[in-house]
Amino acid sequence: MELIFLRHAETDWNRERRYQGRTDTDLSEAGKLQPAHWIKYLPSSPSFVWSSPLARARQTAEALYPGQEILIHPGLAEMNLGSWEGKTAEEISATLDDRDWRGLDFADHGGESLRAVTARIANWLNTLPKGDLAVVVSHKMAITAAYCLATGWEASEKPPERLRFPRAHRFSWDGQALKIVALNESLGE
């Protein structure tokens, strides 16, 4: 099955560059307009539309595919960022010392590690029904976890290819392995 992963449309916290994690924010006024533009670059009738349970992802999926059933799965939720939620990158950087905060197991913020998110995505993949094509509306770290599964990247150094947002990221799933088809496909932004 081909899987097209999208990050949700803009929220006020995205614009303010605040880490959201599991904080359940709605789309901003600008974010509510983005899906109408993105749909021009996406398939009109995928076999499935999957979404994270968080409002910003659900609202994006519903705006992209009104009238189509949106399948919600908790495994597609954003990483729990613990004490970092609601803070800006600058606020977080000011509190970090020389600890190495990279890698699949880092979770000093009191939330989840990227390894835990990767396990959630792997578990979700193993529940997928048969189909040709699915659009998956999720979050930056969940999509990064899919990238880790497809490439073996362990997040201890820069990735071989940087994921950009808002962009579409295409993967194929054969029931055993996740493979990259194309990354960073334009959504007209």
Side-chain angles (χ1 to χ4, degrees):
M1 178 185 312
E2 184 172 349
L3 303 169
I4 302 173
F5 279 84
L6 307 172
R7 184 185 188 194
H8 59 81
E10 182 190 83
T11 68
D12 288 331
W13 278 20
N14 289 138
R15 196 174 53 257
E16 295 168 8
R17 301 183 58 77
R18 292 192 181 282
Y19 284 70
Q20 294 173 100
R22 294 285 179 88
T23 303
D24 203 9
T25 56
D26 290 317
L27 296 180
S28 65
E29 290 306 311
K32 291 174 184 175
L33 301 175
Q34 287 175 314
H37 187 66
W38 294 355
I39 194 62
K40 299 173 196 170
Y41 301 89
L42 296 169
S44 59
S45 53
S47 304
F48 304 102
V49 178
W50 288 90
S51 176
S52 154
L54 296 175
R56 57 193 182 266
R58 283 192 339 269
Q59 292 165 359
T60 302
E62 291 164 356
L64 285 168
Y65 296 100
Q68 183 159 347
E69 180 182 12
I70 308 299
L71 303 169
I72 306 297
H73 196 283
L76 297 171
E78 180 60 293
M79 176 187 279
N80 177 340
L81 293 173
S83 63
W84 288 4
E85 292 188 17
K87 294 183 178 173
T88 65
E90 293 78 24
E91 291 169 328
I92 293 165
S93 293
T95 65
L96 292 176
D97 53 27
D98 291 335
R99 290 172 291 160
D100 187 357
W101 56 269
R102 297 169 296 180
L104 290 174
D105 295 311
F106 178 82
D108 284 6
H109 46 65
E112 282 181 291
S113 67
L114 184 55
R115 186 178 308 277
V117 179
T118 302
R120 281 197 283 112
I121 295 297
N123 288 337
W124 168 74
L125 287 167
N126 287 317
T127 69
L128 290 178
K130 298 255 185 242
D132 295 325
L133 175 66
V135 172
V136 183
V137 183
S138 192
H139 307 273
K140 184 177 184 178
M141 294 310 294
I143 298 168
T144 300
Y147 179 82
C148 290
L149 286 169
T151 64
W153 180 60
E154 295 197 358
S156 58
E157 53 199 46
K158 290 186 177 187
E161 187 167 353
R162 183 175 171 224
L163 297 177
R164 299 186 187 281
F165 302 95
R167 296 284 192 272
H169 306 283
R170 293 178 187 260
F171 296 85
S172 66
W173 172 248
D174 64 6
Q176 295 183 355
L178 188 66
K179 296 179 182 162
I180 293 171
V181 174
L183 300 174
N184 301 315
E185 292 185 324
S186 176
L187 293 171
E189 299 287 318

